[in-house]
Amino acid sequence: MSAVLSQLAEVLEARKGADPKESYVARLYDKGLDAILKKIGEEATETVIAAKDGDRQQIVYETADLWFHCLVMLMQQGIRPEEVLSELERRFGLSGIAEKAARADK
């Protein structure tokens, strides 16, 4: 699974130098962080609506859009998806309650 994220990250990184007239991702980068975040908000809303409607295929489709745009944001911020995966691995097996308590202590 993480191989797909790594490959996608490479493509997204390459799009930073692409022509915004020729690449959707380059256009997002060109518009800046606010445009990327707005797109994430739109996709999150569409994902919530799909889940409320209970349409399995639409949930998968909208979640893919949401994850994609989150990856664009990560790459725009210079964060590789592996960093997020490492954080998820760190949290794996921790109680959610214990993990939140540890954050509160910082």
Side-chain angles (χ1 to χ4, degrees), residues 73-89:
M73 178 269 303
L74 289 170
M75 297 304 294
Q76 191 269 349
Q77 295 289 302
I79 300 169
R80 299 278 310 177
E82 293 83 3
E83 293 179 64
V84 177
L85 292 174
S86 291
E87 177 60 15
L88 289 171
E89 286 176 9

Side-chain angles (χ1 to χ4, degrees), residues 89-103:
E89 286 176 9
R90 183 191 70 78
R91 294 181 188 185
F92 190 76
L94 289 178
S95 155
I97 294 170
E99 196 276 330
K100 286 184 181 184
R103 280 190 276 160

Side-chain angles (χ1 to χ4, degrees), residues 1-15 71 75 80-82:
M1 178 170 66
S2 64
V4 170
L5 293 177
S6 292
Q7 291 169 348
L8 183 53
E10 295 304 320
V11 171
L12 294 176
E13 185 65 30
R15 293 295 191 269
L71 285 170
M75 297 304 294
R80 299 278 310 177
E82 293 83 3

Side-chain angles (χ1 to χ4, degrees), residues 22-75:
E22 310 240 344
S23 165
Y24 171 74
V25 172
R27 195 172 325 135
L28 280 175
Y29 287 143
D30 190 56
K31 289 180 181 179
L33 181 59
D34 286 348
I36 295 167
L37 297 176
K38 180 180 177 186
K39 195 63 184 167
I40 290 171
E42 290 171 9
E43 298 302 342
T45 300
E46 290 172 2
T47 302
V48 168
I49 292 168
K52 290 291 282 180
D53 289 345
D55 182 336
R56 183 181 182 87
Q57 184 57 39
Q58 200 62 25
I59 294 167
V60 170
Y61 181 87
E62 295 300 346
T63 301
D65 281 351
L66 177 58
W67 288 9
F68 175 83
H69 288 90
C70 285
L71 285 170
V72 172
M73 178 269 303
L74 289 170
M75 297 304 294

